[in-house]
Structures are given as C-alpha cells and as structure tokens.
Amino acid sequence: MKINEYEPMRPRYEVRDALVGIPPPASVRIVDQSKDSFTVEFDENKLVVRADPFQIMVYRKDTLLITVNSRSLLLFEHYRHKRQTQNQASNSEPENNESPDAEKSEEDARPVDEYESWEESFKSHTDSRPYGPASVGLDIGFPGFQYVYGIPEHADSFALRSTKGTDPYRLYNLDVFEYELNNPMALYGSVPFMVAHNEQNTVGVFWHNAAETWIDITSNIADKSVIGKLRDLFSSGSEIPQTDTHWISESGIIDVFLMLGSRPADVFRQYTSLTGVTELPPLFSIAYHQCRWNYNDEEDVAEVDRGFDEHDIPYDVIWLDIEHTDGKRYFTWDVTKFPHSEEMLNNISAKGRKMVTIVDPHLKRDDGYFVHQEAKSKGYYIKDKNGNDYEGWCWPGSSNWPDFLNPEVQEWWASKFALDSYKGSTMDLHVWNDMNEPSVFSGPEITLQKDAKHFGNWEHRDIHNVYGMLQHQATANGLVKRSGGNQRPFVLSRAFYAGSQRAGAIWTGDNLADWSHLKISVPMLLSTNLVGIVFSGADVGGFFKNVDTELLVRWYQAGAYQPFFRAHAHLDTKRREPWLFGEENTRRFRDAIRARYSLLPFWYTEFWQHSKTGMPVMRPLWVNFPSEKANFDKDDIYMLGDALLVRPITEAGVTGAKVTFPGSNEVWYDVRTYQKYAGGQEVYVDTGLDQIPVFQRGGTIVPRKERIRRSSALGHDDPYTLIVALKQGASRGTLYIDDYKSYDYKKYNNYLVREFVFNNGRLQSSNADANGKMETKSWLERVVVVGLEQAPKKVELTSSASGKRDLEFTYDAKKQLLTIRKPATNMGTNWTISLL
C-alpha cells in the first residue's frame, strides 16, 4: 500500500535501496463492489477496502488478521509554503493599499503554533525545516494477536511491550553511549518490520520509510488494570486479544507491505523476498574473532597471535581499531606502529587467519590526506543547508562525511579498497564500518543535522536511517571488486536498516561488562534475526568497564552459540585475552571456543539454509513450535535452526538453569552427556561453571568436525562426525559444503548438498541437489547414534565407491549410545550404514 502526496510542491522521498524486488502481482478476484467499498480474494485471503472512512481489513479465510486505519489515525502532512508569523506580518507593508485588518483566509487567520513552526531547536542546534512539518502516520491493528515482535534495534524484551503511558518505540540510528536497558529509546540500527504471531497465524508489516519513526503499541490484554485481569479470571468467557500499533515518520511517504503468512516460515520468505537474505558468509567470518580498542603495534598483534597457539585456542580473525591509522585517517597505517603491515598480514594468513581494520565514514579535513582531497575536489561530501561541505567533529577532529546517497560516491568509496589504493593491505584484510549512524560528536543527538543536503537535493531527515547501510553496501562492494568479483567479503557495520543483511554482519554496539547486558543480548539478537539480519552478535565480555571472570566465562559460553562471535573491549579496560584469567578459566574459554569450531559445519549449513529460505538462524521457540502459547514471550532460550536448543546462563553465582523443553511429543538430548529429556516440560538442569545447557532435538542429524585446528581454514578437508539424535527411531539432517570463500558455488555450481536419513536401522547419505558439482576430500570419521534402544549385532557400510564392509562400533546401554568408528567413506558419495 503506497500513499503519496498528489502534485506536491517538491517530491517526497521514497526509499530506493532497501528492496531487492517487488513480488509479482497475485491473481485476484473482485467478489463484491459498491460505491464506497470493494472486496477482493486471492489464495485463501480476502481484502476489504472502504473509502469513507478509509479502511482496509485483511482476512485469511474468515479470520480477520490485519486492519489498516481502523482508528482513523491516517496522517499525511503536505509540504506547504511558510506563513508569516505575527511579528513578521507586523513588520511588512500591506499590499494593494489593503488595511492590515483586511479579511484573511481561514488558514492565514489561524495562529502559527508549535506544530506548524518551521524551525525546531535541540540544545544549541536549530533545524530550519525549510519545507515545514511533513510527517506521515497510520494505525495498523492485529485482531486476535497478543504478541508482536521486531522493529529493532532496542535493548528491550523480544516480545514488544505496550507503550501506553510511556514513550513509543523510536527508530532513529544514533551513537548511544552506555545505552539503557528495557527502554524503547533509539539505538544504532532501525528496521521497521513487525511480526505478529498467535497459535494459528503469523503476519508481518514492513513500514518502508527511512526517516525518524515512532511506533506506539497498545494491547487490550497487556493494558488491563489489575481489577480487569481479576474480572477475567472469574468470568466465564475470555476476551479476544488485540494489539494496535500506530506508526509515525517525520517525512517521506506511506509505503507499507503486509505479509500474510500464514506460518512463520511464510512470513520470513515473504519479507526476505522484498529486502533480501544474508549472503552466505565466508567460513572464517562465522568462527571466532579477537578484538579490542586497540592492539598497539605489530609486536602486540604477533604476541596475541602466538598466545592463541601456545594455549591451544583456535581463532580466525584479529582486529585493529582506530589507533592503527595515521592520525585517524582511514585507509592508512601508523608507520611507526605498523611499518610492515603487509608482512604482518602475511604472517597471520600463513595460519589461515585474517585481519579486520576499521574504516569509519568520517574523513579528516586535511588537504594532505589523499582520500579527503579526492572527495573534496569531486564534490562528494554531504552539504549543509547553505550548500557548503557539512563539517562536524568526530575521532579525527574536524571531519566531512561522504554522501553515500550518490551512486558515484558509492563507486568511488568501493575503489578505495583496491590494493593499489589501500596501501599496505592484502586480500586477507577485511573491514569494520563503525560510527556510521552517522556519529557526529558536535551534532544534535550526536548525529547529522536533519536539514543537511544529500545528492538529489534530499534532506538528511529523509534518508537518515539508510546512511549506514549505504556505506556498508559500498564497502562490501569494494571488497568484492578488489578480488575481481571472486571472493566473498566480510564487513561488520554498527548502523543498519532493512536490507543491511545483504552487505554482511552487524553487532549490538557499545554494551557494558554487566550481567544485565549479557542477558539482554539474547532478545536483541532474536529481534535482528527475525528481521532477516541473521549475521549478528554482541561484544563478548561487554565493551565498557572491566569484566569479572565469571561473567566473561558465561559470555564466551553464550557467544559460542550466537551467529557472530567476537570478543571486544574498550581502550581503558584491562586486557582480556582468554589466557589471562588463570589455568582453570583458560580451559573454560578454550572449551567454549572449541565448541564453536566443532559446530562450524552445522553453522555454515544453517547460513546456507537461510540464504535459500529466509529462515532465521537464531530463532525464538515459537518459530519451530508455533502453537505453544506458553513460549511466545520467552527470550532467555532459543533454537539454532531446527536442531539445537540453547539456554545461556545470564546470572552471577548460578550453576544451572530452568530449561523449557518445547514440543510435547519431542525428545531432547544434552549435547555433552546425551542425557535424554522429554519435551513439553520445564526442568532444572545443573551444568556447573564449565558449560551452559545445550540440547539436540530428537529427529535431527548434526554434522560436526572434531579435529580442532588453529583456524577454520586449516580444517578444510578434515573428516566429519555425524550426531544422529533419534526420535521414534528416525532422524534426518543436511550438510552443505563448498570452498567456504568464493562465489564459485554461484558461478559454477561448485558445492555439495548431502541429505542424511536414519530410519529402520539404516543411515543413508544421498545427493540432495543434482546441480552441485563439487568434489571433496573430506570423509566420514565417526557416527554417534543417540537414543538407540538396542545394540546391533553388527554394523555394515555399503558405499557406491568401496562396496560393503563391516565397521567397528561400541554401544553404551545406559546412555543408549552407539558409536561407529571410521566408516572412512567420502562425504560426496552415496552410502548406507546398516545396523544389523
């Protein structure tokens, strides 16, 4: 649904960079039509549109799912010419000899009030608002739905709260210092996509607008008084839940997409068909990252690198923050601290590792700085309201900001990552875009003036929330071009919008070393996964403040089971490398990181599944168990794909946790002890300090690699272990393999998809995609069958490559655990393992 101003005095901004396409029109039937309304049907859906008052009602079969403007809150402030204030009028001469008291139009006679004022002040800053107030708004209701989710980024519960009596949820990308928790305040990213879910249906709404946006939420259930809830408790009937939302944006147009589901997977597919999926990342990027502000010099980098090897802890990426540059001039190196950057990078990459350096959007105003000089001479900077290069203050001091709304600027920025432009870099250097909300220390709310001007004469107020995404996309494009279009990039961004998932990863920003921030990271990441940005994480250990040892242990254990896994810390904190907290804790950190590495085949396959279906990698329980209402508001436990259930421990002094096992007909197995738990119950699980509760779902097969190398690249051809968790004697799973780094899987079908099915005592591997043409050296080292009630007499392998042979095995009757050793069959071939 799109509503624009008819013949406006100037065009209204429409977001152009979030969408990858518009779904093809459905075949609709007009089933009823009158002077004031019409009704159309398509698939199992029905749409009723009324003209006076304007309303839209959306049904699935006969169930009302979504209402639009049912509360008549449609708002569209037209652009208009500025009227004179009373003081301005008194100082001007009347025209045509008219008396000052001559008859005025009704509009001119009205006083100029606060809501029609052109200028707006914030502390010492003034927004000129040259075209006047131009907000748009609409109410959207969800009859029958008690819970709504999404609209990140907020440090708040996963199930969105009613805002009655408090501030609305705000979407306005900002650099927020030590952000508050359980608060609807704006943070670093904005995705105006909301999902409503109940036992029967899932629907979504995408508010396609990049200006500052506020969303009010009210609920007839959540907003009830204590007396009202008691009345319901003793009454015979129950009220049908209803959630109402009110969306208001400062400028732009009303452009709304309704996703009708009806299941969670349908809504994710529908939304990602609009904004795209997270591209399959290179394998190294989903492994472990080591970062702090800042590693001091080349020797510091080498010492940290050696430390991981000496303590037998794998890692894939080491990061450098702003201090690595020449005076905070991005695309440069401090030649005193990093005089041999290429040699440093080559030493790291010799072990299969990578480096990431920070490249922020603010550019130091220094005519001797080649990047600034190019941007200035070409007119590539954002302009202030007077048409001059916008100047503000950030890390380098006086700075300018490239105008990424200009396609020519995007191409120019991408070219800066070429090896002959970014001197001292190599193909193993990847990029971190921070401060790209954009952060302006001297600006209102630490960001850009709203009346700054962009390419196309658009005001910054119109495009604010897409600025960071545009830099993110230009950077990723630069890394792809650097490789001649062959290598997949890795770029981390702090700011984001709908569609940012196509450029790479994001993280939750500058969190604190506090238990409450560890706890809030789970609902925050569930929210970003829900809106398609599945490659997301939180700084392990917390960015600000020194971290206590127990908190750091628990954060590593949680981070190992979140999509983006990076430790990071502030310049003023004590060093936190994982061998600095005593031998016992070094072992705990090592175990957590190694658990991540053993599951990299599973993680990689889940990212591939997302790229095909749009399904989140990290999921609330209701995605996999959509009818279990008791779990709709749970955000301390989650699923990874269909297979793993994770319950982080987020409180101090706790050695166990209550675990909700969903699915009354499900069975769950502890991934370490293989202890069995029935679904449909909540059980206290004692874990000690050495691990957190993680369980594999019965009926799934999880691929692992148990030979942990110094980096993921060194395990490229290592053998696999399959964990076959049975449910009623059966299970299935998938493994995706490619070269883990290039676009050959797209260009040349250089990949494999293997499907594993266990049933009737036989485990079969078959090709699940005949288009895949890759050959692999990796082989099957071990099979663990969990939940097998009786030991086999023998185990036999039948392979298309090597025929039949018996296999060695052991059986633990107490654990109902069968371990099959060294089938030694190639993972790319068809084979069957039979239990006889």
Side-chain angles (χ1 to χ4, degrees), residues 363 375 378-382 401-416 455 467 470-471 474-475 477:
L363 298 179
K378 293 176 182 290
Y380 284 167
Y381 284 133
I382 297 169
W401 279 258
D403 184 359
F404 291 108
L405 202 66
N406 184 344
E408 188 175 320
V409 174
Q410 295 180 32
E411 290 298 313
W412 168 79
W413 182 265
S415 74
K416 296 297 101 185
F455 175 78
Y467 182 83
L470 294 176
Q471 187 209 12
T475 302
N477 186 40

Side-chain angles (χ1 to χ4, degrees), residues 468-488:
M469 179 181 75
L470 294 176
Q471 187 209 12
H472 195 188
Q473 291 176 342
T475 302
N477 186 40
L479 296 189
V480 173
K481 289 188 172 184
R482 181 185 70 179
S483 71
N486 185 48
Q487 299 298 307
R488 288 176 253 166

Side-chain angles (χ1 to χ4, degrees), residues 242-436:
Q242 164 110 9
T243 298
D244 290 299
T245 64
H246 183 199
W247 303 67
I248 301 177
S249 292
E250 182 181 4
S251 63
I253 68 168
I254 294 175
D255 189 8
V256 179
F257 293 87
L258 306 180
M259 276 131 277
L260 306 185
S262 63
R263 296 284 77 195
D266 299 318
V267 169
F268 300 135
R269 173 179 49 79
Q270 291 156 3
Y271 174 69
T272 54
S273 73
L274 292 174
T275 64
V277 295
T278 297
E279 186 177 72
L280 186 60
L283 182 66
F284 78 82
S285 66
I286 61 173
Y288 174 64
H289 300 246
Q290 182 67 32
C291 182
R292 77 172 278 111
W293 176 23
N294 199 87
Y295 287 120
N296 300 320
D297 51 32
E298 290 176 0
E299 179 52 37
D300 197 7
V301 170
E303 185 176 342
V304 172
D305 183 67
R306 285 194 299 271
F308 277 92
D309 294 339
E310 290 169 359
H311 295 89
D312 196 23
I313 302 173
Y315 90 98
D316 265 59
V317 191
I318 191 165
W319 293 53
L320 296 180
D321 211 315
I322 55 177
E323 311 302 334
H324 83 279
T325 62
D326 175 15
K328 316 233 174 11
R329 298 169 180 87
Y330 302 109
F331 304 100
T332 70
W333 301 85
D334 183 326
V335 295
T336 301
K337 297 178 180 179
F338 298 93
H340 311 103
S341 59
E342 287 188 57
E343 181 181 345
M344 173 185 66
L345 282 159
N346 290 335
N347 289 337
I348 291 169
S349 61
K351 302 175 184 179
R353 293 167 176 160
K354 313 289 182 182
M355 177 174 278
V356 166
T357 54
I358 195 167
V359 181
D360 292 346
H362 49 263
L363 298 179
K364 183 178 179 68
R365 288 172 56 86
D366 174 3
D367 287 340
Y369 173 32
F370 75 101
V371 182
H372 165 72
Q373 185 57 38
E374 282 186 33
K376 178 182 176 183
S377 65
K378 293 176 182 290
Y380 284 167
Y381 284 133
I382 297 169
K383 309 302 180 185
D384 64 20
K385 64 181 180 181
N386 298 315
N388 303 311
D389 287 348
Y390 180 90
E391 180 182 352
W393 202 263
C394 209
W395 294 125
S398 182
S399 303
N400 299 124
W401 279 258
D403 184 359
F404 291 108
L405 202 66
N406 184 344
E408 188 175 320
V409 174
Q410 295 180 32
E411 290 298 313
W412 168 79
W413 182 265
S415 74
K416 296 297 101 185
F417 295 95
L419 299 183
D420 60 357
S421 180
Y422 192 170
K423 303 291 187 182
S425 68
T426 73
M427 295 291 291
D428 291 305
L429 184 68
H430 295 260
V431 182
W432 172 17
N433 291 153
D434 198 359
M435 312 294 287
N436 56 343

Side-chain angles (χ1 to χ4, degrees), residues 491-638:
V491 184
L492 179 73
S493 173
R494 190 169 70 176
F496 57 89
Y497 183 72
S500 285
Q501 63 267 22
R502 305 194 303 269
I506 64 99
W507 90 107
T508 61
D510 297 341
N511 56 1
L512 274 67
D514 188 271
W515 287 95
S516 61
H517 278 254
L518 168 59
K519 185 174 184 178
I520 206 72
S521 70
V522 177
M524 291 181 76
L525 296 178
L526 285 172
S527 293
T528 55
N529 269 256
L530 195 78
V531 301
I533 305 179
V534 301
F535 200 3
S536 53
D539 284 343
V540 170
F543 179 66
F544 289 113
K545 298 171 50 177
N546 289 314
V547 63
D548 74 70
T549 303
E550 183 188 1
L551 173 58
L552 189 58
V553 167
R554 290 306 195 196
W555 216 317
Y556 266 97
Q557 292 168 347
Y561 292 95
Q562 293 170 352
F564 177 56
F565 185 24
R566 180 186 76 154
H568 185 38
H570 189 273
L571 181 72
D572 295 330
T573 63
K574 295 177 181 179
R575 296 289 286 254
R576 297 182 188 168
E577 286 75 38
W579 51 85
L580 298 178
F581 297 84
E583 186 175 339
E584 187 176 26
N585 291 308
T586 298
R587 174 183 57 79
R588 290 177 174 132
F589 296 135
R590 180 190 301 115
D591 288 348
I593 295 171
R594 288 170 69 93
R596 172 59 162 236
Y597 276 74
S598 70
L599 282 170
L600 284 179
F602 168 78
W603 279 104
Y604 197 67
T605 300
E606 286 302 316
F607 273 97
W608 170 76
Q609 295 273 24
H610 162 79
S611 73
K612 295 296 183 182
T613 66
M615 287 288 285
V617 173
M618 182 176 173
R619 306 173 184 175
L621 299 187
W622 57 258
V623 170
N624 293 96
F625 303 95
S627 63
E628 297 188 358
K629 186 176 180 180
N631 298 327
F632 287 180
D633 62 349
K634 289 193 181 298
D635 57 14
D636 60 355
I637 189 168
Y638 56 89

